[in-house]
Amino acid sequence: LPTILRSAGFTAATAIELNVITGLASLIGILVGAFVLIPRLPRRTMGIYQETGVTISLFALAFVFFKFIEPHMVDGHTTASLPSFAPWLVLILVTLFLFVRQSGTIVWVYMGELFPARARGACQGVAVGCLWIMNAIITFGFPTMIEKLGGGWTYMVFGIINLIAIFFFVKFVPETKNHSREQLETHFQNEYS
């Protein structure tokens, strides 16, 4: 997060202090998701909500960087001509991104419902391993992407990836809420075996 905010024009010290704001947005998102959204909404709807909100946030960040930040950068640093509202727009969009991401975190619930009982442990282990590998790739690749591609193209790439995720949820992910594991297992066996 400090990398994002510094690239948008905040100082290193300010970017670290602003982690409190984004951390609060994450906490509120978790609470809203856990106590309001996940108990009430279908799982598939939650996934589509999350991916749509994240995708909109990423494309909006790309737009802000292309339009308001990158034209005012020299040698990777913002100049005095940077519009004063631009870093705040980035902060708002990052906060929105984190809120939606945390309030719609349904992947952990899905993993407990999608896999058949006899292979659930192994399947969940592989799925969690893949998630952590992708988290590591994003964590280590993001600063390099910001440096080499700039903020606009970096967020555009991640926005496109999440656009594909929306398509995946709409086209392939089944609804699991209000179905027993046995019903789901029978349905998946009949549908995909």
Side-chain angles (χ1 to χ4, degrees):
L1 184 59
T3 304
I4 299 168
L5 296 173
R6 276 197 304 272
S7 66
F10 286 107
T11 66
T14 306
I16 292 169
E17 291 168 5
L18 293 172
N19 274 323
V20 174
I21 294 170
T22 55
L24 187 59
S26 290
L27 175 63
I28 293 168
I30 290 168
L31 295 174
V32 167
F35 296 109
V36 178
L37 300 178
I38 292 174
R40 290 182 173 87
L41 294 177
R43 310 286 190 240
R44 190 168 173 272
T45 302
M46 284 295 300
I48 294 168
Y49 149 76
Q50 179 184 26
E51 291 306 325
T52 302
V54 164
T55 302
I56 290 168
S57 299
L58 290 168
F59 283 135
L61 278 165
F63 174 79
V64 169
F65 270 84
F66 282 136
K67 181 81 173 163
F68 302 116
I69 296 173
E70 290 177 356
H72 304 281
M73 294 185 79
V74 176
D75 297 326
H77 300 288
T78 55
T79 63
S81 64
L82 177 76
S84 61
F85 64 86
W88 295 103
L89 264 178
V90 170
L91 178 64
I92 290 166
L93 291 170
V94 167
T95 303
L96 175 67
F97 169 91
L98 290 169
F99 174 83
V100 170
R101 188 81 184 140
Q102 298 296 1
S103 66
T105 302
I106 200 72
V107 69
W108 304 106
V109 177
Y110 252 128
M111 279 196 283
E113 296 174 346
L114 282 177
F115 301 123
R118 68 182 179 281
R120 186 167 292 125
C123 291
Q124 285 181 323
V126 169
V128 170
C130 290
L131 282 172
W132 282 108
I133 289 168
M134 288 311 300
N135 283 339
I137 290 169
I138 291 168
T139 299
F140 292 111
F142 182 80
T144 303
M145 290 176 72
I146 286 282
E147 183 182 327
K148 302 289 185 194
L149 301 176
W153 283 111
T154 299
Y155 295 115
M156 185 68 71
V157 167
F158 285 116
I160 291 168
I161 291 168
N162 279 274
L163 202 57
I164 294 167
I166 293 171
F167 172 77
F168 179 79
F169 259 101
V170 170
K171 184 79 173 155
F172 299 108
V173 176
E175 181 53 58
T176 60
K177 188 173 183 173
N178 300 324
H179 300 288
S180 70
R181 289 179 177 164
E182 292 75 21
Q183 288 173 322
L184 291 170
E185 194 167 338
T186 303
H187 169 72
F188 293 149
Q189 190 167 4
N190 293 338
E191 185 78 22
Y192 301 110
S193 292

